[in-house]
Amino acid sequence: MKQYSVKQLAKLAGVSVRTLHLYDQNGLLKPAIRTEARYRMYGEAELLRLQQILFYKELDFSLQAIQDILNDPHFDIIQALESHKLALHSRQERIQTLMATIDTTIHRLKTKQMLSHEELYEGLPKETATTYRNEAITKYGAETVEISEKHLRNLGKEGFQQLKAEMEDIASKLIALMQEDPKSAIVQQQIARHYHNIRGFWGTAQSPDLQAEAYAGLGDLYVADERFTTVDGKTNPDYAQFLQQAMRHFAETQLK
């Protein structure tokens, strides 16, 4: 089996030798063996673990969170890689959207113009946007939808894009955590972000009503309507189920 010195591994993975020393010291990535001269040597298992570490770091997980995930006895590397692929697709789509709208964002910042009604549904075909809006009115009422739309328009282009980017970042992290228990602390940490961001979209962030039932109901909607958890044109029912369970647990334990 081929083995790599710390310098060889650092060059191969694009990290510093100092980083690998740190990972060794905190137990995140131990070498396979140490030679009699105390040199660190790494094998295939360590290469795969380092790949996972770098994937999770790309998604902005802390080193402690990464260590907890990788040390979980139920950790499945194949499932993790599949989740990483979905998460990276989601991030790629977010970056492309941000790049495509950056000129408009700069313009809005300079002119301080509010979002138009159409821009709230930017990226959706007009017919689809109208369908979504009408469904929301039927389910939640015209007043609720109008309050949300007014709040989002008042955010301006930059604020609205930040809200969308935050939601996409949360989604990519949750996708990467799908192998975890939906009730686990690390998942619930991201669900808390999701909840506060959803309140931002609803325009109810300052409301004393914590909206426990509405938030749990949104999780049910994710399962019932595949459009809300579609990534790159592909439905993801497993993610919808995972999100529903995590959101209901959060509503029942944090919002009551």
Side-chain angles (χ1 to χ4, degrees):
M1 181 182 69
K2 183 174 177 60
Q3 292 187 325
Y4 299 85
S5 68
V6 67
K7 289 184 178 180
Q8 290 172 327
L9 181 59
K11 182 177 181 181
L12 181 67
V15 299
S16 68
V17 170
R18 182 179 179 183
T19 294
L20 294 179
H21 286 173
L22 174 64
Y23 290 171
D24 183 10
Q25 291 168 11
N26 63 23
L28 185 58
L29 181 68
K30 290 287 187 182
I33 61 170
R34 286 181 182 269
T35 67
E36 292 183 2
R38 303 298 296 165
Y39 290 120
R40 298 172 175 85
M41 299 299 293
Y42 299 84
E44 182 179 353
E46 289 70 42
L47 265 67
L48 288 172
R49 185 175 174 93
L50 178 57
Q51 183 189 55
Q52 292 300 311
I53 292 168
L54 297 179
F55 276 139
Y56 282 113
K57 275 182 61 65
E58 179 65 24
L59 294 171
D60 299 323
F61 283 87
S62 69
L63 294 183
Q64 184 58 58
I66 295 171
Q67 189 164 6
D68 291 343
I69 292 169
L70 298 185
N71 290 345
D72 187 327
H74 300 295
F75 178 76
D76 185 325
I77 191 168
I78 295 177
Q79 185 178 5
L81 287 168
E82 290 173 345
S83 295
H84 290 320
K85 184 177 180 180
L86 285 172
L88 290 172
H89 273 305
S90 177
R91 176 165 287 195
Q92 181 184 39
E93 184 177 293
R94 175 164 63 91
I95 291 172
Q96 288 173 341
T97 300
L98 290 174
M99 291 181 66
T101 60
I102 192 169
D103 288 338
T104 304
T105 302
I106 292 172
H107 174 71
R108 295 296 184 186
L109 285 171
K110 288 180 177 179
T111 60
K112 300 187 183 299
Q113 294 180 20
M114 292 194 307
L115 284 163
S116 66
H117 184 277
E118 290 74 17
E119 285 176 308
L120 294 178
Y121 302 94
E122 186 177 11
L124 292 173
K126 185 175 182 179
E127 183 177 337
T128 302
T130 301
T131 299
Y132 274 35
R133 188 173 189 272
N134 290 340
E135 288 177 356
I137 291 173
T138 300
K139 186 173 181 62
Y140 302 109
E143 183 180 356
T144 299
V145 172
E146 288 169 3
I147 289 172
S148 174
E149 291 178 343
K150 181 180 180 181
H151 168 73
L152 294 174
R153 286 197 298 271
N154 288 339
L155 286 178
K157 185 75 172 182
E158 182 189 30
F160 185 55
Q161 289 297 338
Q162 287 178 347
L163 201 60
K164 288 171 64 178
E166 175 76 0
M167 185 60 80
E168 288 161 358
D169 181 64
I170 294 166
S172 69
K173 286 184 170 60
L174 285 169
I175 289 171
L177 291 171
M178 281 176 59
Q179 62 184 332
E180 299 291 324
D181 183 342
K183 299 178 181 179
S184 67
I186 194 169
V187 172
Q188 289 296 301
Q189 182 181 25
Q190 295 303 320
I191 290 296
R193 291 179 62 206
H194 183 269
Y195 166 72
H196 291 297
N197 215 51
I198 286 293
R199 297 255 285 180
F201 276 105
W202 287 347
T204 57
Q206 305 304 318
S207 171
D209 178 5
L210 298 181
Q211 301 178 287
E213 291 185 10
Y215 186 63
L218 179 62
D220 296 337
L221 179 62
Y222 289 158
V223 173
D225 193 332
E226 63 186 18
R227 292 174 300 177
F228 292 97
T229 51
T230 296
V231 178
D232 293 337
K234 298 180 181 178
T235 60
N236 192 342
D238 290 339
Y239 176 53
Q241 291 280 352
F242 172 80
L243 198 54
Q244 178 199 40
Q245 293 172 29
M247 289 170 66
R248 182 159 294 280
H249 179 73
F250 183 85
E252 291 174 350
T253 59
Q254 303 299 319
L255 305 181
K256 295 293 181 70

